[in-house]
Amino acid sequence: MQVIKYVFQPHGDERGQLVSLEEFKDIPFQIKRVYFMYDTEKNVVRGKHAHKNLEQILVCIHGSCKILLDNGHEKKVVPLEKPYEGLYVANDMWREMYDFSPDAVLLVFASEVYDESDYIRDYDEFLKFVKERKNGN
């Protein structure tokens, strides 16, 4: 499984740092939704789903967390610890976000607006979906 991490260009001086992100330039898709998570308790696991079509870039803009990516064949854990790094999460990829530091803020850029029918929330259904997509169904 290929993990794609984007390193965004920080611009800084004595006043501090600034990161500017643009769709199709820094983010590889049109941004249709932005949301963030914070005050996540220590033992909470977020996500636990995949999407049929939606793509995401995850940026831990404060603190740290870990992302488990699972393509149905292979799993990888990716730490997010820097506010200028973004993790690309493709559609048909199971994701779980966990091990949030107490101060973590996880920002998400999404390629689609919220659509419950795009979610795959059952892991066995996800495995079936991946198998069918691989076979061209």
Side-chain angles (χ1 to χ4, degrees):
M1 169 185 354
Q2 181 183 14
V3 172
I4 301 173
K5 244 187 184 178
Y6 289 86
V7 177
F8 305 121
Q9 181 63 50
H11 304 278
D13 57 25
E14 67 280 349
R15 299 171 296 167
Q17 299 294 318
L18 179 141
V19 173
S20 174
L21 303 176
E22 298 177 18
E23 59 190 15
F24 300 118
K25 181 179 176 188
D26 308 289
I27 306 292
F29 49 76
Q30 182 181 16
I31 301 166
K32 293 189 179 177
R33 184 170 170 232
V34 176
Y35 60 94
F36 56 93
M37 295 169 237
Y38 65 99
D39 284 346
T40 305
E41 296 293 324
K42 181 161 182 65
N43 296 318
V44 170
V45 178
R46 304 289 310 252
K48 293 185 176 181
H49 66 266
H51 290 277
K52 298 171 189 169
N53 298 303
L54 180 129
E55 302 169 80
Q56 296 175 317
I57 294 281
L58 282 60
V59 182
C60 197
I61 58 173
H62 197 267
S64 64
C65 65
K66 292 180 182 156
I67 313 298
L68 169 71
L69 296 178
D70 179 347
N71 65 7
H73 308 285
E74 185 180 358
K75 296 179 183 185
K76 286 195 177 177
V77 174
V78 181
L80 287 179
E81 305 165 326
K82 298 175 181 146
Y84 55 83
E85 287 185 341
L87 176 66
Y88 175 74
V89 182
N91 56 16
D92 70 11
M93 181 78 67
W94 189 265
R95 78 281 324 266
E96 296 181 10
M97 296 81 83
Y98 67 100
D99 199 19
F100 289 86
S101 65
D103 58 346
V105 179
L106 182 63
L107 178 66
V108 181
F109 297 94
S111 65
E112 303 295 331
V113 297
Y114 177 81
D115 178 3
E116 182 60 34
S117 68
D118 188 61
Y119 282 74
I120 304 171
R121 297 187 185 275
D122 178 87
Y123 189 73
D124 290 332
E125 286 181 30
F126 163 70
L127 293 176
K128 180 180 174 188
F129 177 81
V130 170
K131 185 177 179 182
E132 288 174 356
R133 190 169 265 193
K134 182 179 176 186
N135 293 333
N137 297 335

